[in-house]
């Protein structure tokens, strides 16, 4: 109803309308209140929801494991979460409002503003939206590797950058460890000796760990000192004076830094060499600007085989992780040494085997000749025999039994007995050769009983047994005072019996025989000499006399050419030696060397 | 050429049986040359180089040498080496006899300059065959007479 319409109404009509309106208004009032309430309620709800979401966001930031830092377009830090505080070691008040470059080491620190400016200008991102590994710096100045991801937030009028930062020191350490151990393993695998591998290993450890200079010292088993093996360094960290000094140094156990590590079997970290009294190259260290050192043993079980030393121009604080890594390197090299030692033993064994094999080849060669020789006679003469017998038969059958005695007599008296004789001699020869072989091979199997032997009484016994032969040869025998030895009584007796027999056998009938037996001690060994003035041996045959079945003079009576071969074999098994000196027509001297017993008792 | 009859066969062999078999089989093969036997390397060297008290080589006699390789003291290879090192004696045909056919040994002897190399076979027939072919070889080879001027004739 419009206003003009009311002008047409009467007063009564107006009152009635008012009443009606008043009534309507009365009814609507609670709805108004409800409306206001509802509106208020709604506002409240809105407020709380906003608050909640802020809370939630804050909670996320507060509890995030990753460090989260927000900066503006100019690089000014707007916020950081507790993880960031912990990671970098700052309180929020110390960083908020300051340039984020304070959290970076050089050269990023100086360049960060231009990185950011460049991005804002060109939109060309290097990190934003990508993420990469960079270095960060804590409040205490220490630098550590991080994985950094940056995201961009565009607001109405400005934009923010949020950095998500994860400390990857742990992972990097594991990688370093793997790299160093791998490089060490590879260098060891490629090298024949530790001395050859050492410079490579040292260099790679230097390069990977940042220690400038490394040295390897090996324990000299004999003189019980540490001897310099080699050095390796990071490119650009040469310390020639240091290395020169090292080459002439040795460390006794417990002396100097390497010696201390050797004595304790444990690593030793010296952060500042200036205060170290045990450091022998202090002056050179000053000149070469070396400040820190770490040394650790190369261990094989509990035994120290060498010591590694690393030097640094920077002052380096002890680092448990690095010490752990060094310990691993030490044991790895220890295992290499162990393996090399086993290989050397194997090679030694192979050499001995090769020698034995050569010896065996000689024996087989000689045997193949010497055993065939009598066989040629046996077969040859048995054929002669067959032929002769056939002839006898033919002659007997011929002309009605009219024999021709002279021819038959020749066959029966000469050809047939001769053949039989050679056949029998051949069989006997093979028999004696085979017996000799058996004796020789038995020597290698006989169990030895090594004990202290009184050589004076042993030689006296041998001389007594040979008294008749010596007397018959018309020889004079002179026996000196003889030192005791360690050996097997039966076999050593055999050696000297053989030597004395030979001396008697090869005397020169042109002059009266003179044989002497003497002995002396020399550096823990007893040296004996059996000397004769016999026929002697020409130089070309002096090696051959030890050959199996070799006989100097087959006319000189019995013997199968085994005496000296057996003597040599016996001595070989008892850590002994035999050699000969001889001059033709002047005589021969056989020398025997055997281990002497430890000097607990005086000589007998 | 009738000079084969005159050739004297020198056998250096330490095994008397082997020497005897060689002699017998040479004879059976029809070779009736004079045979002179030496029991070791030293005695044949003394004979050839005319040393010591034993018999010495004649100037006008052609020789052929059978040398056993393995002998005590001076072995066959050493005898061969000394023969071949002498400008006169090196012309004498020399046949090496051995019980082994070790190729290294064969090569060594040929290297020094032996005329032939024979392995003493255990098989008697083979051995006789070898001796016979050796006889044939001796009868065919022109044996130089050392210590004479060429074309001297007789």
């Amino acid at each position: 109803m419009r206003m003009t319409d009311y002008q047409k109404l009467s007063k009564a009509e107006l009152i009635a309308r008012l009443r009606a309106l008043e009534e309507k208004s009365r009814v609507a009032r609670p709805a108004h209140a409800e409306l206001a309430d509802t509106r208020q309620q709604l506002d409240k709800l809105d407020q709380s929801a906003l608050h909640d979401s802020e809370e939630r966001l804050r909670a996320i930031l507060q509890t995030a494991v990753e460090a989260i830092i927000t900066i503006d377009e100019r690089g000014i830090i707007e916020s950081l979460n507790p993880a960031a505080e912990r990671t970098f070691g700052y309180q929020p008040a110390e960083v908020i409002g300051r340039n984020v470059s304070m959290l970076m080491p050089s050269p990023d620190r100086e360049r960060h503003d231009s990185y950011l400016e460049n991005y804002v200008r060109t939109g060309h991102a290097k990190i934003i939206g990508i993420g990469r590994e960079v270095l960060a710096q804590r409040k205490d100045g220490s630098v550590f590797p991080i994985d950094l991801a940056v995201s961009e937030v565009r607001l109405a009028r400005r934009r923010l950058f949020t950095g998500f930062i994860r400390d990857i020191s742990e992972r990097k350490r594991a990688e370093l460890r793997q790299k160093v151990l791998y490089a060490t393993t590879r260098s060891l695998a490629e090298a024949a000796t530790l001395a050859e591998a050492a410079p490579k290993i040292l260099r790679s450890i230097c390069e990977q760990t940042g220690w400038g200079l490394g040295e390897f010292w090996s324990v000299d088993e004999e003189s019980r000192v540490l001897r310099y093996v080699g050095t390796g360094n990071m490119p650009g960290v040469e310390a020639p004076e240091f290395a020169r000094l090292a080459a002439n140094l040795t460390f006794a156990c417990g002396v100097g830094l390497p010696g201390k590590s050797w004595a304790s079997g444990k690593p030793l970290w010296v952060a500042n060499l200036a205060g170290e009294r045990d450091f022998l190259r202090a002056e050179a260290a000053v000149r070469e600007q070396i400040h820190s050192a770490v040394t650790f043993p190369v261990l094989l079980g509990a035994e120290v085989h060498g010591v590694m030393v690393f030097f640094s121009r920077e002052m380096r604080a002890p680092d448990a992780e690095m010490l752990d890594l060094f310990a691993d390197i030490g044991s790895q090299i220890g295992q290499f040494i162990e393996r090399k030692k086993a290989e050397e033993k194997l090679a030694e064994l192979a050499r001995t085997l090769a020698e034995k094999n050569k010896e065996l080849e000689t024996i087989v060669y000689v045997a193949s000749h010497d055993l065939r020789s009598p066989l040629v006679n046996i077969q040859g003469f048995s054929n002669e025999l067959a032929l002769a017998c056939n002839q006898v038969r033919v002659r007997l059958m011929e002309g009605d039994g009219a024999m021709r005695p002279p021819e038959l007599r020749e066959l029966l008296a000469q050809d047939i007995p001769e053949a039989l004789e050679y056949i029998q001699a051949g069989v006997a020869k093979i028999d004696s050769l085979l017996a000799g072989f058996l004796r020789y091979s038995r020597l290698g199997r006989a169990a030895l009983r090594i004990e202290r032997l009184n050589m004076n009484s042993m030689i006296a016994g041998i001389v007594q047994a040979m008294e008749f032969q010596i007397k018959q040869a018309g020889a004079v025998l002179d026996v000196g005072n003889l030192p005791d030895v360690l050996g097997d009584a039966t076999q050593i007796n055999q050696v000297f019996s053989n030597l004395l027999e030979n001396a008697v056998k090869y005397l020169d009938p042109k002059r009266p025989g003179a044989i002497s037996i003497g002995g002396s001690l020399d550096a823990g060994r007893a040296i004996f000499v059996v000397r004769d003035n016999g026929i002697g041996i020409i130089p070309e045959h002096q090696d051959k006399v030890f050959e199996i079945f070799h006989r100097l003079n087959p006319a000189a009576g019995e013997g199968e050419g085994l005496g000296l071969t057996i003597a040599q074999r016996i001595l070989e098994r008892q850590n002994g030696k035999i050699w000969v000196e001889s001059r033709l027509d002047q005589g021969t001297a056989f020398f025997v060397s055997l281990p002497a017993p430890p000097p607990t008792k005086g000589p007998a | 050429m009738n000079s084969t009859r005159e050739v004297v066969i020198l056998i250096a062999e330490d095994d008397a049986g082997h020497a005897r078999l060689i002699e017998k089989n040479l004879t059976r093969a029809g070779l009736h040359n004079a045979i002179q036997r030496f029991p070791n390397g030293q005695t044949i060297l003394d004979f050839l180089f005319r040393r010591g008290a034993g018999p010495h080589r004649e100037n006008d006699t052609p020789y052929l040498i059978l040398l056993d390789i393995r002998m005590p003291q001076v072995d066959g290879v050493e005898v061969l080496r000394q023969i071949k090192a002498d400008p006169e004696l090196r012309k004498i045909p020399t046949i090496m006899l051995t019980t082994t056919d070790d190729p290294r040994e064969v090569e060594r002897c040929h290297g020094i300059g032996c005329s032939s190399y024979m392995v003493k076979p255990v098989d008697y027939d083979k051995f006789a065959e070898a001796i016979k072919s050796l006889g044939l070889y001796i009868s065919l080879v022109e044996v130089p007479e050392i210590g004479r001027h060429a074309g001297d004739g007789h």
Side-chain angles (χ1 to χ4, degrees), chain A residues 365 369 373 379 383 418 541, chain B residues 18 20 73 99 105 122 124:
Chain A
Y365 173 77
H369 179 281
S373 260
Q379 278 205 307
N383 270 290
E418 183 195 32
H541 288 124
Chain B
H18 292 192
R20 190 78 185 95
Q73 296 183 39
T99 42
E105 200 101 293
V122 172
Y124 182 79

Side-chain angles (χ1 to χ4, degrees), chain A residues 72-150:
Chain A
D72 67 10
E73 279 168 315
R74 292 166 303 137
I76 303 302
I77 297 171
E78 296 211 333
S79 69
L80 76 165
N81 71 345
E85 292 168 29
R86 283 195 303 274
T87 305
F88 287 90
Y90 283 108
Q91 294 297 311
E94 294 174 295
V95 286
I96 290 174
R98 294 185 61 187
N99 194 306
V100 73
S101 65
M102 70 185 290
L103 302 178
M104 305 164 194
S106 290
D108 288 341
R109 176 179 289 222
E110 292 76 23
R111 294 179 190 162
H112 189 258
D113 282 352
S114 67
Y115 296 157
L116 201 57
E117 196 182 302
N118 198 46
Y119 172 69
V120 170
R121 189 158 42 83
T122 65
H124 188 69
K126 294 271 171 58
I127 289 187
I128 297 158
I130 302 165
R132 61 195 280 190
E133 287 179 21
V134 292
L135 291 175
Q137 189 165 30
R138 296 190 189 89
K139 185 181 178 183
D140 65 10
S142 57
V143 174
F144 61 105
I146 59 166
D147 194 37
L148 172 66
V150 179

Side-chain angles (χ1 to χ4, degrees), chain A residues 9 22 55 79 114 174 221 252 254 289 298 358 394 435 480 494 517 602:
Chain A
L9 294 177
E22 277 174 353
E55 273 298 306
S79 69
S114 67
E221 302 287 351
Q289 295 169 305
V298 170
K358 228 180 109 194
V394 169
Q494 168 100 64
I517 302 173

Side-chain angles (χ1 to χ4, degrees), chain A residues 540-562:
Chain A
E540 294 92 294
H541 288 124
Q542 289 179 10
D543 278 342
K544 282 193 180 175
V545 296
F546 298 107
E547 218 171 69
I548 193 163
F549 301 137
H550 178 87
R551 297 194 56 201
L552 193 62
N553 184 5
E558 295 295 301
E560 53 212 339
L562 268 177

